[in-house]
Structure formats: C-alpha cells, structure tokens
Amino acid sequence: MISLAARDIAHSWSKYVFTGVGLGLLIGVTLSMAGIYRGMVDDAQVLLRNSHADVWVVQKDTQGPYAESSSLPDDIYRGVLGMPGVEQAANVTYFTMQVQHQGKDTRVMVVGFEPGQPGAPPSLVAGRHVTRSHYEAVADVKAGFKLGEKIRIRRNDYTIVGLSQRTVSTGGDPMVFIPLADAQAAQFQKDNDAIVSGRERTAANPAFNRPSVPGLLEAVQASQITSHNVNAVLVRVRPGWDAAQVAADIQRWKHLQAYTYADMEEIAVQKLIATSAKQIGLFLVILTLVSTAIVSFIIYTMTLGKIREIAVLKLIGTRNSTIAWMILQESIGLGLVGFIIGKTVATLWAPVFPKYVLLLPLDAVLGLLVIVLVCTLASVMAIRAALKVDPAEAIGG
C-alpha cells in the first residue's frame, strides 16, 4: 500500500523534516510551560518539606508567614511548647532582600532559624552547618555563593560555611540561613538615621519624657531599637498525635492562627501561585490551538499537493477509508516527529531557565496523547478535501 508520509519523505524530505522541527520547537515550548508550572508547585512544596514542621503558628487572622506578613513575640513558643501533643516548637523568620555578590544583586530569602529545630537547613551538599551564634550562613547553591565567601546582609557580613540544594522560596528565590538573633536584627532593626529621629520624637513626647520618672525615657528608647518578634513558630507533633487536633488546640487556647501541613500546602499552591497557574494554563491552551492550526494547515497543503495521486488511487478502486487512513498516518507521523524533537529540546533547555522546570513523565505521556488527538482533528479538513477528489482528475479530466 502506498504511504503518503513515505512518499513525502522520499520526494520532499526536507519539507517534512523542517516542518517536524518547527512543530517540535512549538511542542517543546508547550512542554516547558507545563514544566514551569510543575516547578512552581514543587518550589512551594519543597519549602514546606524543608521546614520539617507539622504545624505553622502565625499571627491571628493571617495566612502567614509565606502568603502574608506575620509578627509574633519571640516568647510565644514557650506557651506553644507546653501544649499537649507538641514535641518541638521553634521560632523562625523569613524576609526577602537583595544581596550584593560579585558586583551584582542576588535576590534571596533570608531565613532566621535555631540549630537543631524545625526550620533549620536540611542536609548539605558541601561545607558544614552553622555552629556559631553570629555571622555564619548556609546558602542554596542556586544563589551562586561559594564556601568561605562573605556576603553582606543589612549591616553585617556573613561567611558562607555550608551549601544546600533545593532550598528555595515559593517564588524560586534561593534561601540563605542565618542565626535567628541575627535575622531578627536584620529584619526589624532600623537604620541609624531612623533611630536618631525616633529618639528625638520620643524625647519630645511628654508622656515618655517625665522628669519625675527617671529611666522611663531611656527604657522606651531602648525598646524601640530592639526587636523580639518573629514571623512564625514551627511545631513538630509527637508521634501518634493528630496534627489537626494540635493545631485546633493551639488556635483555641493561645488565640493564634495555626495551620497544618495540608493547610499550608493549600495556601502555597492554591493562593500564592494561583494567578501564575491560570496564566500558564491560558498559554497552554493558546499553544495547543496554534499547534492544531499549524498541523491542520500543513497536512491540508500536503494533501492538495497530491490530488492527482489520490485521484489515481480512487480510479483503481481504493476505498475512501484507506485514503483517509493514509492521510491520518501522515498527520500522526508528523506529530510524533514533532513530539520527539520537542521532548528533546525541552529536556536540553530546561536547566537554562532561571526558574526550576520540572518535566514529569506523566506530563510527557499526556502531551503525547494530546498531540495524537490534535493531529487526528487537524487531519479532518485534509481528509474531507481528499474524499472530494474526482477520479477523472487522474487523466486530466
């Protein structure tokens, strides 16, 4: 049986191959968009996994510390630690900033943690963990920092003593872990000019500057330049205890907001990246429609170029179903060539993207099924044109 695809490859192979390459690049972009979405979801989930927490305790009526700002007194953890079912409770801070590195700004999320507690960096790929109470840091390899380098966070320099991997924020920014006390000072401490201005305003306030109460003004001014706040308390639940029940008890008795892992995952995935997910989904729909239009046009023009051959087939008694099957083969074959090229280029250029691109085998399988469906639908117009060919055209009629 004559194969239209085989004839095209034999007599006009360059057109078929270049068409497959063009379609493959379009498919590669489509797979990459799906990988970007998967990477965003994985970034949000890996942030939660790396926290090693079962419950997140944050400011009441907020969805912090990732979706909203949250501020808690740093002694709250003592009361949380005394709740039934709580095994560990640790303060933690998060804030995003630009760090100068080799003359360039590097956007990072700075995490203040307590060693050996939830929120500490996971296993390292190089170096060691933070052992000193000040001026040491562990950074994600994505930040580009090297062991022994010094980076400046606010007013102080920190030495990179360890490197971790896949420790990123929900936005994909690499994390830098520093001691909690340093992070509190860096996040909440004011600059010198603001401190002087605040002291002058406080001294001008008669409610604080009372000659009859010695030491009041100094105490108020000292409280203004020190911070005892954190963004969240991370809780580990004792084995056998229900995290949801522990979170409900904390929320009831401590008048704070408490979220389980499932709650935080919903906030991170369904709310933080919801807009980006919708935008990527719209792009995927547009790319699918464009791919359908391109394949449909290509197969249609290729079929019109073989009108005489199709007429000959009809003249010798070939059934319409056979002709339709040959055109469908050509369309699906073009889609398979494009898929192979697209999957290859998507895998090759994925590491080049600044954000994490996660290409899942399931997405590739689903993509292949969609491509077969798209190519099947795209061949309908060409099949209709082929079935309308008059056998008399084979002899110039």
Side-chain angles (χ1 to χ4, degrees):
M1 179 60 64
I2 300 173
S3 172
L4 294 179
R7 179 187 180 279
D8 258 2
I9 294 174
H11 297 282
S12 57
W13 63 269
S14 59
K15 179 181 178 181
Y16 196 84
V17 170
F18 284 123
T19 300
V21 171
L23 180 62
L25 293 176
L26 187 60
I27 293 173
V29 172
T30 305
L31 293 176
S32 297
M33 294 295 291
I36 291 173
Y37 169 72
R38 295 292 189 186
M40 292 170 59
V41 173
D42 191 71
D43 283 343
Q45 293 175 335
V46 78
L47 171 62
L48 303 181
R49 291 195 299 267
N50 289 336
S51 298
H52 299 104
D54 300 313
V55 176
W56 282 254
V57 181
V58 297
Q59 182 180 341
K60 188 175 179 59
D61 297 327
T62 69
Q63 295 184 346
Y66 312 121
E68 296 179 11
S69 61
S70 168
S71 181
L72 297 172
D74 60 6
D75 59 353
I76 285 290
Y77 83 96
R78 295 189 179 94
V80 173
L81 192 58
M83 293 294 296
V86 174
E87 183 177 26
Q88 288 180 295
N91 291 324
V92 67
T93 64
Y94 300 97
F95 64 95
T96 302
M97 64 172 293
Q98 302 287 338
V99 174
Q100 284 284 336
H101 178 242
Q102 297 180 352
K104 298 180 180 179
D105 283 338
T106 301
R107 183 179 176 84
V108 301
M109 172 178 274
V110 179
V111 181
F113 73 100
E114 297 175 289
Q117 297 289 338
S123 57
L124 307 182
V125 295
R128 60 172 175 83
H129 286 281
V130 172
T131 57
R132 297 181 180 179
S133 57
H134 296 286
Y135 312 131
E136 287 188 343
V138 170
D140 186 84
V141 292
K142 184 180 176 182
F145 306 147
K146 298 179 180 179
L147 292 177
E149 282 188 337
K150 290 186 178 295
I151 60 173
R152 191 167 186 82
I153 298 178
R154 299 292 190 251
R155 301 179 184 178
N156 300 311
D157 292 329
Y158 292 81
T159 303
I160 303 298
V161 297
L163 297 176
S164 59
Q165 193 167 28
R166 289 296 293 146
T167 48
V168 295
S169 68
T170 54
D173 299 322
M175 285 182 168
V176 174
F177 298 85
I178 63 176
L180 178 64
D182 289 350
Q184 288 178 288
Q187 182 175 12
F188 300 107
Q189 190 175 30
K190 301 177 182 179
D191 60 81
N192 292 333
D193 292 335
I195 292 174
V196 172
S197 178
R199 286 176 175 175
E200 291 176 350
R201 285 195 298 270
T202 302
N205 189 335
F208 299 131
N209 193 1
R210 300 179 184 179
S212 59
V213 186
L216 174 62
L217 177 61
E218 290 75 11
V220 173
Q221 290 176 336
S223 68
Q224 292 176 337
I225 63 174
T226 58
S227 174
H228 297 284
N229 287 352
V230 294
N231 298 128
V233 176
L234 304 185
V235 174
R236 290 292 301 273
V237 175
R238 294 182 183 277
W241 285 76
D242 182 24
Q245 184 59 51
V246 173
D249 290 342
I250 293 174
Q251 196 160 298
R252 178 182 180 184
W253 298 108
K254 296 301 179 182
H255 306 290
L256 300 168
Q257 205 72 36
Y259 296 103
T260 63
Y261 186 94
D263 296 331
M264 290 304 300
E265 188 174 34
E266 180 181 0
I267 292 173
V269 176
Q270 301 296 331
K271 298 181 180 180
L272 280 179
I273 64 175
T275 302
S276 299
K278 292 178 182 178
Q279 187 169 359
I280 291 176
L282 181 59
F283 271 116
L284 289 176
V285 172
I286 293 174
L287 289 172
T288 302
L289 294 176
V290 171
S291 300
T292 304
I294 290 176
V295 174
S296 178
F297 175 75
I298 291 171
I299 298 301
Y300 181 73
T301 54
M302 286 183 174
T303 303
L304 292 182
K306 290 175 283 292
I307 292 296
R308 185 175 296 274
E309 289 82 351
I310 294 173
V312 171
L313 291 174
K314 285 193 171 186
L315 188 63
I316 63 177
T318 304
R319 291 179 300 178
N320 286 340
S321 59
T322 302
I323 295 174
W325 172 240
M326 288 189 294
I327 296 175
L328 182 60
Q329 279 183 313
E330 182 179 13
S331 178
I332 294 177
L334 187 62
L336 293 177
V337 171
F339 174 78
I340 293 173
I341 295 174
K343 182 65 172 70
T344 302
V345 298
T347 303
L348 292 177
W349 67 38
V352 181
F353 280 79
K355 290 183 70 67
Y356 181 54
V357 179
L358 180 60
L359 300 174
L360 296 178
L362 178 60
D363 288 339
V365 173
L366 292 176
L368 179 59
L369 295 177
V370 170
I371 290 169
V372 172
L373 177 61
V374 165
C375 291
T376 302
L377 296 176
S379 65
V380 171
M381 186 169 61
I383 291 174
R384 291 185 61 186
L387 297 183
K388 293 179 180 179
V389 173
D390 188 350
E393 295 187 21
I395 54 177

